[in-house]
């Protein structure tokens, strides 16, 4: 807080007129990131009221989410209900993912948009990215900034309203956020040791790594200077969707 006050040219105690603590200031920075994400994604303003049955089912499965995550065979999309009257006609087993194709098509574009805008906001504010990754480790869910919670709520609403089973929605929600946030942290990590150097190895400081101990990092190191960017990010999102629903 002292360094912040010095940068602003005010006394340290003056900051406490606007924020109660350092933690509140850090959470405020995270909230601003997610507010910007909301502004970039107005189409995510889903209805506040989720279908009651879906909401109740989601609450029912929360305690068993860890057990459900172990079952790799759970399909992402709920199966179509059987006809109300009369026996169902015999059918041949459908290939994996066949019945889920419409749902996959309906949510794929929306998930691409969320991932892309999360990446773009992070690129615009790289110094705040570490807070987005670390604050959830110390701030309980119910105490996180409202903008953060709204992002999570809208992602779950997107999945549930597309017909995703609640247990699978929770699992996919965790996988999606883990991939996007993890990719952002890795893609934006600092790799340049000396910006004034033009030769890649010296620019990255690879000469500091012993060739005997780190031969692979030295050999592949120059590639670390190039970000994977949105194409690699979206390829990972597609892999998650394909694994859960099918291509």
């Amino acid at each position: 807080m002292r360094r912040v006050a010095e940068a602003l040219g005010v006394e340290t105690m003056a900051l406490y007129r606007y924020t109660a603590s350092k933690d509140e200031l850090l959470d405020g920075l995270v909230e601003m990131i997610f507010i910007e994400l909301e502004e970039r994604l107005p189409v995510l303003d889903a209805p506040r009221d989720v279908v009651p049955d879906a909401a109740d089912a989601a609450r029912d499965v929360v305690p068993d989410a860890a057990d459900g995550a172990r079952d790799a065979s759970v399909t992402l999309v709920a199966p179509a209900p059987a006809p109300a009257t009369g026996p169902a006609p015999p059918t041949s087993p459908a290939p994996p993912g066949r019945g889920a194709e419409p749902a996959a098509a309906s949510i794929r574009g929306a998930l691409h948009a969320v991932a892309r805008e999360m990446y773009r906001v992070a690129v615009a504010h790289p110094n705040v990215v570490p807070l987005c990754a670390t604050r959830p480790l110390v701030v309980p869910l119910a105490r996180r900034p409202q903008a953060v919670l709204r992002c999570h709520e809208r992602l779950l609403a997107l999945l549930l309203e597309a017909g995703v089973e609640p247990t699978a929605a929770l699992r996919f929600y965790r996988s999606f956020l883990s991939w996007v946030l993890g990719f952002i942290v890795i893609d934006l990590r600092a790799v340049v040791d000396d910006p004034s150097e033009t030769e890649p190895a010296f620019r990255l400081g690879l000469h500091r790594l012993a060739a005997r101990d780190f031969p692979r990092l030295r050999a592949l190191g120059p590639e670390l200077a190039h970000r994977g960017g949105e194409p690699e990010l979206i390829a990972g999102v597609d892999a998650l969707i394909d694994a859960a629903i099918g291509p």
Side-chain angles (χ1 to χ4, degrees):
M1 296 295 281
R2 188 163 50 248
R3 291 170 58 189
V4 173
E6 290 174 358
L8 296 175
V10 299
E11 296 291 332
T12 302
M13 294 307 296
L15 297 178
Y16 292 98
R17 295 174 56 188
Y18 306 96
T19 181
S21 65
K22 177 182 177 180
D23 284 339
E24 187 175 280
L25 179 61
L26 296 177
D27 288 339
L29 291 172
V30 173
E31 183 170 30
M32 292 303 298
I33 287 290
F34 280 86
I35 288 175
E36 182 171 336
L37 176 61
E38 285 184 306
E39 293 171 348
R40 289 169 175 257
L41 288 169
V43 295
L44 286 187
D45 288 332
R48 296 287 181 179
D49 298 326
V50 180
V51 178
D53 291 343
D56 293 339
R59 282 192 293 270
D60 290 340
V61 301
V62 168
D64 299 324
D67 294 332
R70 299 189 191 101
D71 183 4
S73 65
V74 175
T75 57
L76 185 60
V77 177
T85 59
T91 57
S92 300
R98 176 67 63 98
E101 289 176 4
S106 67
I107 65 176
R108 189 180 297 267
L111 292 172
H112 282 186
V114 174
R116 282 197 180 98
E117 294 307 331
M118 288 180 69
Y119 183 85
R120 292 170 184 174
V121 170
V123 169
H125 308 284
N127 292 332
V128 184
V129 170
L131 292 177
C132 296
T134 58
R135 291 305 291 169
L137 298 177
V138 295
V139 181
L141 176 67
R143 294 182 179 272
R144 292 174 196 167
Q146 292 291 300
V148 175
L149 296 177
R150 287 194 298 269
C151 177
H152 291 226
E153 176 71 17
R154 289 169 179 171
L155 181 56
L156 286 170
L158 171 66
L159 296 168
L160 291 171
E161 291 171 8
V164 179
E165 295 175 344
T167 300
L170 286 172
R171 188 176 61 193
F172 187 87
Y173 150 87
R174 286 194 294 264
S175 298
F176 177 83
L177 290 178
S178 297
W179 165 249
V180 175
L181 291 176
F183 180 88
I184 288 172
V185 169
I186 295 299
D187 210 41
L188 301 189
R189 63 184 171 177
V191 293
V192 175
D193 181 61
D194 187 350
S196 65
E197 283 285 354
T198 56
E199 203 283 321
F202 287 103
R203 180 178 175 82
L204 299 181
L206 297 180
H207 59 286
R208 303 180 188 278
L209 304 179
R212 182 180 61 183
D213 298 330
F214 307 104
R216 296 165 188 83
L217 280 175
R218 284 177 61 103
L220 300 175
E223 293 301 319
L224 295 176
H226 305 290
R227 292 178 179 173
E230 293 180 26
E232 286 189 12
L233 172 66
I234 298 304
V237 172
D238 280 335
L240 288 175
I241 297 173
D242 292 344
I245 302 176

